[in-house]
Amino acid sequence: MHKYVSGAALSVALSLGLGTSGFAQETIKVGVLHSLSGTMAISETTLKDTMLMLIDEQNKKGGVLGKQLEAVVVDPASDWPLFAEKARELIEIEGVAATFGAWTSVSRKSVLPVIEELNSLLFYPVQYEGEESSKNVFYTGAAPNQQAIPAVDYLMDEIGAERWVLAGTDYVYPRTTNKILESYLKDKGVAEEDIMINYTPFGHSDWQSIVSDIKKFGSAGRKTAVVSTVNGDANVPFYKELANQGVSAEDIPVIAFSVGEEELSGFDTEPLVGHLAAWNYFMSVEDETNDEFIDAWQSFIGSDERVTNDPMEAHYIGFNMWVKAVEKAGTTDADAVEQAIIGVSVPNLSGGYSTMMPNHHITKPVLIGEIQDDGQFDIVWETSGLVAGDAWSDFLPDSKSLISDWRAPLACGNYDVSKGTCSGQNL
Amino acid sequence: MFTSGLTPKIWQFAVSTRALPAVFFLCFCATVSAQDGQEASQLQALSEELSSKKKAIQIQAIDQLAASGDERVERWLTALLEGELYRRKGDNRIVYATKSGKLLALKDADTGEPLEEVKKRSVSKLRINNAIRTQLKGLLGTLKLKHPDANIREQAVADLVGKVESAAMPEIRSIYQSETNADVKEQLRLLISVHDLENGSDEQRSEALSYVDGNLHNPVINALRNMSLNAEDDTVRLQATQLLSQAEKKLVWYSRLETLFFGISLGSVLVVAAIGLAITFGVMGVINMAHGELIMLGAYTTYFIQQLLPDFMEISLLLAIPAAFCVSGVVGILIERGVIRHLYGRPLETLLATFGISLMLQQAVRTFVSSQNVAVINPSWMSGSWAVNPALSFTLNRLVIIGFCLLVFALLLLLFSRSGFGLQMRAVAQNRQMARAMGIRSDRIDALTFGLGSGIAGIAGVALSQLGNVGPNLGQSYIIDSFMVVVFGGVGNLWGTLVAGMSLGIANKIIEPWVGAVVAKVMILVFIIIFIQRKPRGLFPQRGRAAEA
């Protein structure tokens, strides 16, 4: 008899035990969609590691809604159509609650229809050209008015620049940004002949003629500045050529939107000292949250040589916003989280709070840093308050009258104020 | 530098730049008695202001410091400019600090006595920005006008050209009178002339006009341009316009020369990258898609040599050349023996197999080294430029690479035409069966030829590491261009590669200023497509039995 009882008790206990452990294993899956091979691996691998660290830390704090988070990492291999396929895999097969990923605009555009069709959520951490607002995407990087416009203001007011070189890599982000900047400069009274626009292919390595042109353009006796949307690798030979041809930051300062700490770690920074970059975060920000983040990152990655950068901060903000919104909504359901996240504020790494706006962009400070010989930035200027990201630029004729507000009753990403209509998803 | 032998006269000197129209007053006084080392100096008194986060306060403090007349001012300002001034936390004393391993070695800024070594966190650097850098350079420039070393004086004057306010001119003129070194005097004359062109009296202006005839310095051209538009006196305006048009004619010629130089240098990069391929593809007929990765291995070898021998940065490249040749050469031989030799006569399979190898090599570097780019240092003899005259200068790294390209080319040519190995290589390439019948071990020659081509790709990597990025993708950016050059030049002909590389480089640089870099590249590719349709065998078609077969 006793035998049976204990046997029954054992089986009950066993099944209970299995039950609870089975229950504990139920996790919330989070997709990480960053290239780990190919051209973009240089920038995106770090963001994958950042997400793993953030998820790991959240799990140590007890996860979300009492469940542990589980990162699902896929490798879209810098291949734009593959981004769409991998996103579909993450949502349909893995059933992730939200995806953090993409770097280039073209990869985001590739993922966009999939995310919208399957009604999931994407957090996009990189500065971009704006002119987009999707119900399913949260833009935690800078819009042009959070990076490019303040940078030009700084050069104009503080440095006294009168002639402008807009140099960029030939793709959608630099082209749109330069269009916005050109129209902004003309509004400010800069003459057509004082603006020089130049595009180069991806990975351009022979900058001799362009630097020589910039030098000639800048030798007219008026202060000249270069606004650079040159992307990735092409920056190294660009700055080397500037230095070799004797163009110093005091003569012609270059302000870059795509050069951060991570990129500088692969440079010999000597020729770059004094040139500028505009971001919403620098590793050199003096703040306790930032110190903690840097310590956590360096111990997670196991090297105190590794740096932090702006897109990492964007993931930090985006991830914490998502966690907060899920807890607020009490579910990971995309629609509920989408509504809950608007208005959510979380600390950013520069000593303030960032808030998710109704247009799915966030508020951030804008910082201008000068490159130092140790590959860090010395912050020389910052906006007095936070700047809210503007999805549709006020300086382009097509988007002037558009606004985005995803709250009910408007719930529209591109509402035309002049016509009073919502023109549907993404023009 | 200020000995009491200098005239004990306080004089003020004003410098301004257009970027920073503030006027800095600086007094050079040798009369202030040498301060007692024990007493806290002006530098320490300004400790708070100098480390302020507000740049305006820093600028003011630096002016105060410069005006203090302390004899250590030059050293302090130089240290500030070089980023060697730190503020010790705790007692807020300003110190010099230099790196000493992971620590910083401190020296007292007042006395120069060595202090303790500390961790980075216990001191904070006095951070400066561009405005302050400009200010410091201006201040130091004026200090250096009386430096005993003529070269430093000359440089100081050159930096001031076009930036001096009228108030300072009488002093400059008196320095000009007392200056004994001819070069410095010449520079001072230029400085005075540029000032006089726009602000001098009529007499000074006409003297300046006759002096600047034929001068191509940028401030001179700008001053002439202004005068030709705005001068009130008709004869002066006419004279200025004439001088300007003469100068502009010269400038056009120099800019053509510059374009030619850019073209040759781009051409030599193409040739350096392609010449290894000219051997493997051209001579052996192997479509080696991993050629770019062999270049990459050479560049990484340079990086590792620099990492291993941090004290020999200046000669690291010379060491890297043989090392890269060996590394890439050995990898090339392994690829040939392991894969390619099984695929001779099957070009499609060779293409796919070598493409696979190229992906493997890339990913191997990503996994075992890093997916990040690595920083390869330029030795100082490859940085900067050689100024022929004010309107024309050649960058040193490009000059070195042009020379290097020609040297490698000449050596290869010698090897091909004068050595036994070259003879055997050509024999196998032209008629394998016959060569074997004559007792040449074609297997061995194949492996060695492929190794040679790969090794040359490796040393191309050493050269290219000096121009651009060193990262896993390095090879990708050169592979297309390399094939383009080899096919255009005529497969199997080294001279063809040289001529093709140079002409593509020069054509690219001539087109680029008109249509932009993107379209220039497209135009070159379109041209090659059309050319290959007309002359499928390239510029210099190979003759012989194999070519006709």
Side-chain angles (χ1 to χ4, degrees):
Chain A
M1 181 70 200
H2 263 277
K3 227 176 173 181
Y4 287 104
V5 172
S6 61
L10 193 68
S11 72
V12 168
L14 258 179
S15 66
L16 266 178
L18 280 176
T20 42
S21 66
F23 184 72
Q25 268 165 10
E26 193 189 315
T27 54
I28 298 174
K29 287 184 177 176
V30 177
V32 180
L33 183 67
H34 282 300
S35 303
L36 310 180
S37 54
T39 334
M40 294 311 297
I42 174 177
S43 307
E44 292 193 66
T45 313
T46 313
L47 290 187
K48 182 260 306 180
D49 291 328
T50 310
M51 282 312 299
L52 294 184
M53 174 183 88
L54 290 170
I55 290 169
D56 188 49
E57 284 189 345
Q58 190 62 37
N59 282 339
K60 279 182 198 151
K61 283 187 242 163
V64 180
L65 300 178
K67 295 179 192 169
Q68 291 282 294
L69 297 175
E70 182 191 342
V72 185
V73 178
V74 289
D75 176 17
S78 310
D79 178 1
W80 319 138
L82 197 58
F83 269 88
E85 278 176 45
K86 288 288 174 186
R88 189 174 289 278
E89 178 187 320
L90 280 176
I91 301 164
E92 280 188 338
I93 299 173
E94 301 287 348
V96 297
T99 305
F100 291 78
W103 180 289
T104 59
S105 286
V106 46
S107 65
R108 185 191 68 251
K109 295 270 188 208
S110 156
V111 172
L112 196 62
V114 177
I115 295 275
E116 285 180 351
E117 179 200 325
L118 303 176
N119 194 23
S120 184
L121 301 175
L122 172 72
F123 286 81
Y124 175 68
V126 184
Q127 100 278 19
Y128 83 121
E129 67 280 1
E131 306 303 295
E132 187 181 299
S133 178
S134 163
K135 175 173 176 281
N136 302 85
V137 182
F138 298 95
Y139 308 84
T140 50
N145 73 318
Q146 289 174 306
Q147 191 183 25
I149 302 263
V152 166
D153 284 342
Y154 169 77
L155 288 173
M156 200 178 268
D157 303 337
E158 306 276 319
I159 307 277
E162 295 174 34
R163 308 197 86 201
W164 302 83
V165 180
L166 309 180
T169 301
D170 201 2
Y171 73 106
V172 55
Y173 165 66
R175 284 212 177 246
T176 316
T177 307
N178 285 347
K179 223 188 276 171
I180 294 171
L181 288 182
E182 194 187 354
S183 134
Y184 181 72
L185 285 171
K186 283 182 180 162
D187 276 6
K188 289 255 177 179
V190 177
E192 178 95 46
E193 71 264 19
D194 287 335
I195 303 175
M196 169 178 152
I197 299 183
N198 187 295
Y199 292 105
T200 42
F202 268 103
H204 191 62
S205 60
D206 192 311
W207 289 88
Q208 300 179 88
S209 335
I210 292 163
V211 168
S212 162
D213 284 349
I214 291 175
K215 213 170 138 186
K216 280 182 198 134
F217 186 79
S219 67
R222 286 153 69 204
K223 187 72 185 176
T224 304
V226 180
V227 179
S228 156
T229 37
V230 174
N231 196 286
D233 288 12
N235 279 298
V236 182
F238 177 45
Y239 284 107
K240 265 190 192 167
E241 192 67 36
L242 280 171
N244 279 337
Q245 292 201 19
V247 179
S248 76
E250 290 113 68
D251 305 330
I252 304 182
V254 179
I255 195 161
F257 301 151
S258 308
V259 176
E261 289 85 350
E262 188 80 36
E263 285 76 18
L264 286 184
S265 64
F267 287 15
D268 170 14
T269 42
E270 201 55 47
L272 283 77
V273 172
H275 287 300
L276 305 155
W279 289 106
N280 307 106
Y281 164 80
F282 287 112
M283 188 179 177
S284 61
V285 164
E286 284 180 12
D287 182 73
E288 264 177 42
T289 345
N290 185 34
D291 289 347
E292 279 167 26
F293 181 75
I294 295 172
D295 285 344
W297 167 245
Q298 289 179 340
S299 71
F300 178 81
I301 209 80
S303 154
D304 58 4
E305 299 286 313
R306 289 296 293 271
V307 293
T308 58
N309 65 7
D310 181 272
M312 286 170 70
E313 191 220 16
H315 261 340
Y316 171 85
I317 296 172
F319 178 76
N320 287 337
M321 280 181 169
W322 176 77
V323 168
K324 226 170 160 180
V326 168
E327 274 164 357
K328 191 169 143 194
T331 164
T332 56
D333 175 66
D335 286 325
V337 173
E338 192 260 311
Q339 282 302 312
I341 202 169
I342 293 174
V344 160
S345 282
V346 298
N348 56 32
L349 294 178
S350 47
Y353 277 81
S354 283
T355 311
M356 179 61 75
M357 305 303 286
N359 63 1
H360 286 190
H361 290 63
I362 67 172
T363 58
K364 300 175 140 198
V366 185
L367 314 174
I368 309 272
E370 255 180 33
I371 299 172
Q372 303 282 303
D373 52 7
D374 55 358
Q376 287 292 318
F377 290 86
D378 179 22
I379 298 160
V380 290
W381 185 82
E382 56 190 292
T383 47
S384 48
L386 296 175
V387 181
D390 187 9
W392 302 99
S393 172
D394 301 338
F395 299 98
L396 289 179
D398 292 343
S399 68
K400 225 182 249 175
S401 56
L402 297 182
I403 59 159
S404 160
D405 189 336
W406 286 104
R407 289 171 303 188
L410 198 57
C412 173
N414 43 24
Y415 184 80
D416 193 325
V417 195
S418 61
K419 294 187 192 131
T421 55
C422 186
S423 42
Q425 287 282 321
N426 301 300
L427 281 176
Chain B
M1 61 171 252
F2 294 107
T3 57
S4 50
L6 280 175
T7 36
K9 175 179 156 197
I10 297 174
W11 55 292
Q12 287 180 322
F13 195 54
V15 180
S16 91
T17 66
R18 286 179 170 83
L20 193 82
V23 177
F24 307 124
F25 292 100
L26 171 63
C27 100
F28 283 9
C29 24
T31 46
V32 175
S33 61
Q35 296 207 357
D36 190 353
Q38 303 306 313
E39 207 177 294
S41 66
Q42 184 76 10
L43 179 74
Q44 304 300 349
L46 289 167
S47 162
E48 191 70 39
E49 289 82 358
L50 285 172
S51 49
S52 165
K53 285 212 159 186
K54 294 222 168 84
K55 299 300 170 191
I57 295 180
Q58 274 187 303
I59 288 178
Q60 212 186 355
I62 291 168
D63 278 338
Q64 271 181 33
L65 186 64
S68 72
D70 194 300
E71 58 197 8
R72 291 161 293 189
V73 163
E74 193 198 353
R75 187 141 179 244
W76 290 334
L77 295 187
T78 314
L80 183 57
L81 184 63
E82 311 263 306
E84 284 169 4
L85 276 192
Y86 284 72
R87 186 177 192 230
R88 194 159 59 184
K89 287 177 187 166
D91 65 354
N92 289 340
R93 196 168 172 80
I94 295 198
V95 291
Y96 297 121
T98 42
K99 264 188 195 155
S100 152
K102 279 207 157 188
L103 298 174
L104 287 169
L106 303 187
K107 267 201 239 168
D108 193 279
D110 282 6
T111 59
E113 278 168 24
L115 300 170
E116 70 278 14
E117 291 197 351
V118 296
K119 281 186 185 163
K120 274 181 194 165
R121 291 212 175 175
S122 58
V123 285
S124 62
K125 190 170 170 178
L126 299 188
R127 290 186 177 273
I128 57 174
N129 68 1
N130 271 333
I132 296 176
R133 242 173 245 125
T134 313
Q135 180 198 13
L136 286 172
K137 283 187 183 168
L139 289 169
L140 286 168
T142 55
L143 285 170
K144 283 177 182 154
L145 283 180
K146 293 212 166 182
H147 200 279
D149 184 342
N151 288 331
I152 293 179
R153 281 206 304 277
E154 192 183 343
Q155 188 56 48
V157 180
D159 287 344
L160 288 173
V161 171
K163 292 177 184 168
V164 181
E165 299 274 307
S166 295
M169 285 318 286
E171 286 304 331
I172 299 273
R173 283 181 219 277
S174 84
I175 294 181
Y176 173 69
Q177 293 304 331
S178 59
E179 178 61 57
T180 50
N181 182 296
D183 292 337
V184 183
K185 218 170 160 99
E186 193 66 24
Q187 276 294 340
L188 279 164
R189 180 88 196 265
L190 177 72
L191 191 156
I192 294 170
S193 302
V194 169
H195 171 265
D196 288 352
L197 281 178
E198 294 196 80
N199 305 312
S201 66
D202 288 350
E203 196 185 330
Q204 287 170 335
R205 180 184 298 167
S206 66
E207 203 191 316
L209 271 173
S210 60
Y211 175 74
V212 298
D213 189 1
N215 195 311
L216 295 176
H217 277 90
N218 190 38
V220 173
I221 305 277
N222 281 330
L224 286 178
R225 196 167 287 144
N226 271 341
M227 285 170 76
S228 69
L229 295 173
N230 307 326
E232 284 162 17
D233 189 338
D234 278 346
T235 50
V236 170
R237 196 166 62 222
L238 203 67
Q239 210 182 346
T241 317
Q242 256 172 7
L243 286 178
L244 184 66
S245 73
Q246 279 168 13
E248 275 173 348
K249 259 182 218 152
K250 275 192 199 164
L251 285 181
V252 169
W253 273 105
Y254 283 127
S255 113
R256 281 178 197 157
L257 265 180
E258 194 184 38
T259 309
L260 186 67
F261 171 73
F262 290 164
I264 292 176
S265 103
L266 175 61
S268 62
V269 169
L270 290 174
V271 174
V272 162
I275 202 155
L277 195 72
I279 299 169
T280 51
F281 179 51
V283 178
M284 300 178 69
V286 172
I287 300 182
N288 179 17
M289 295 300 285
H291 175 71
E293 278 58 45
L294 294 167
I295 297 181
M296 175 191 75
L297 288 182
Y300 270 94
T301 310
T302 317
Y303 168 71
F304 282 116
I305 289 210
Q306 288 194 344
Q307 293 298 304
L308 287 176
L309 304 168
D311 298 332
F312 297 93
M313 221 34 110
E314 296 299 306
I315 56 161
S316 59
L317 288 189
L318 302 180
L319 297 173
I321 290 172
F325 184 86
C326 296
V327 170
S328 293
V330 167
V331 172
I333 290 176
L334 288 178
I335 294 175
E336 203 273 344
R337 286 289 91 181
V339 181
I340 295 175
R341 78 177 160 132
H342 304 294
L343 299 170
Y344 279 126
R346 291 154 68 189
L348 252 177
E349 283 88 336
T350 317
L351 188 149
L352 286 177
T354 50
F355 185 61
I357 293 171
S358 94
L359 292 180
M360 281 160 60
L361 286 174
Q362 276 178 44
Q363 204 58 37
V365 170
R366 270 196 203 102
T367 315
F368 298 116
V369 185
S370 154
S371 62
Q372 304 293 318
N373 287 350
V374 294
V376 174
I377 313 285
N378 293 38
S380 60
W381 49 274
M382 279 186 83
S383 308
S385 55
W386 168 52
V388 182
N389 65 32
L392 185 66
S393 51
F394 299 127
T395 46
L396 290 176
N397 60 349
R398 300 279 173 177
L399 280 175
V400 171
I401 287 188
I402 293 173
F404 181 72
C405 162
L406 296 177
L407 183 73
V408 170
F409 183 79
L411 287 177
L412 273 181
L413 218 54
L414 271 182
L415 183 74
F416 266 71
S417 56
R418 294 292 158 87
S419 74
F421 172 56
L423 186 67
Q424 295 185 353
M425 210 154 46
R426 282 181 292 146
V428 172
Q430 280 170 18
N431 193 327
R432 179 176 297 266
Q433 298 307 325
M434 189 57 81
R436 285 171 64 116
M438 303 303 264
I440 295 173
R441 287 169 60 192
S442 70
D443 261 24
R444 193 167 148 264
I445 295 295
D446 281 338
L448 286 178
T449 311
F450 199 85
L452 174 70
S454 307
I456 298 290
I459 64 175
V462 179
L464 297 178
S465 75
Q466 291 301 305
L467 292 180
N469 290 287
V470 178
N473 300 322
L474 178 126
Q476 301 278 296
S477 36
Y478 291 104
I479 184 81
I480 304 286
D481 287 347
S482 302
F483 270 106
M484 195 170 80
V485 168
V486 174
V487 171
F488 179 55
V491 173
N493 191 319
L494 281 187
W495 279 106
T497 306
L498 182 75
V499 174
M502 287 298 174
S503 41
L504 290 180
I506 294 170
N508 195 330
K509 285 294 158 185
I510 291 176
I511 305 172
E512 197 183 297
W514 293 344
V515 292
V518 184
V519 180
K521 193 143 198 186
V522 173
M523 284 170 73
I524 294 284
L525 284 169
V526 169
F527 165 75
I528 289 187
I529 292 172
I530 295 171
F531 183 87
I532 293 297
Q533 284 176 349
R534 291 285 158 103
K535 293 189 98 179
R537 287 171 194 279
L539 277 177
F540 297 91
Q542 195 180 28
R543 293 192 186 85
R545 206 182 296 243
E548 261 108 59

